[in-house]
Amino acid sequence: QRLKAAVHYTVGCLCQDVAEDKEMQFSKQTIAAISEITFRQCETFAKDLEMFARHAKRSTVTIEDVKLLARRSTSLLKYITQKGEEITSSNMEQKEKKKKKSSAARDGRAAGEREAAVTESEDSNMA
């Protein structure tokens, strides 16, 4: 119910923006109808995405499922593909940074361990 109210509010804001831009008015019934259609379409999208993932024997929806859903809208598919590539490259950069940090930390520990081993051997030689 809260989700439906959020969709209605967002549709109302969008309609208000369009109305100001185009110098026109939207009735409350029109906004309610657009909200209802939008909510139902989102429910359909969610079910389709779930089915695409299940068909691929996965429990998680992936970007490929979203692309499959958007396949009939060339511009939307292009946009989703672009955003997916941006997210993938961003994730790769974060993984590289983590890898560098962890390898630097490992190298630091290894150097410390070598120093400790040298110190121990020097101590045992002195005894």
Side-chain angles (χ1 to χ4, degrees), residues 8 10 12 16 22-23 25 28 30 39 43 47-48 53-54 58 65 73 75-76 78 85-86 102 115:
H8 184 77
T10 303
Q16 187 175 2
K22 302 292 181 185
E23 297 179 7
Q25 292 281 321
K28 289 183 179 183
T30 301
F39 192 80
E43 285 179 327
K47 289 174 185 172
D48 287 348
R54 190 176 300 157
R58 287 183 277 105
D65 299 322
S73 172
S75 60
L76 182 59
K78 184 178 176 182
E85 288 169 359
E86 287 174 15
S102 65
E115 288 173 13

Side-chain angles (χ1 to χ4, degrees), residues 26-96:
F26 285 93
S27 70
K28 289 183 179 183
Q29 293 86 357
T30 301
I31 294 171
I34 294 170
S35 297
E36 186 63 28
I37 291 167
T38 302
F39 192 80
R40 287 185 187 179
Q41 189 63 50
C42 287
E43 285 179 327
T44 302
F45 285 166
K47 289 174 185 172
D48 287 348
L49 288 170
E50 207 175 318
M51 291 298 160
F52 294 156
R54 190 176 300 157
H55 179 73
K57 296 177 176 45
R58 287 183 277 105
S59 58
T60 305
V61 173
T62 66
I63 189 74
E64 295 307 315
D65 299 322
V66 178
K67 287 179 188 178
L68 185 60
L69 182 72
R71 70 191 180 280
R72 290 191 182 104
S73 172
T74 309
S75 60
L76 182 59
L77 180 59
K78 184 178 176 182
Y79 180 80
I80 290 170
T81 302
Q82 177 189 354
K83 287 296 177 185
E85 288 169 359
E86 287 174 15
I87 291 168
T88 302
S89 66
S90 174
N91 288 344
M92 295 297 263
E93 288 173 10
Q94 288 177 351
K95 284 182 182 179
E96 287 296 320

Side-chain angles (χ1 to χ4, degrees), residues 93-111:
E93 288 173 10
Q94 288 177 351
K95 284 182 182 179
E96 287 296 320
K97 286 179 184 177
K98 284 183 181 179
K99 196 180 285 184
K100 285 179 183 176
K101 282 183 182 179
S102 65
S103 65
R106 259 187 269 119
D107 291 345
R109 281 196 305 267

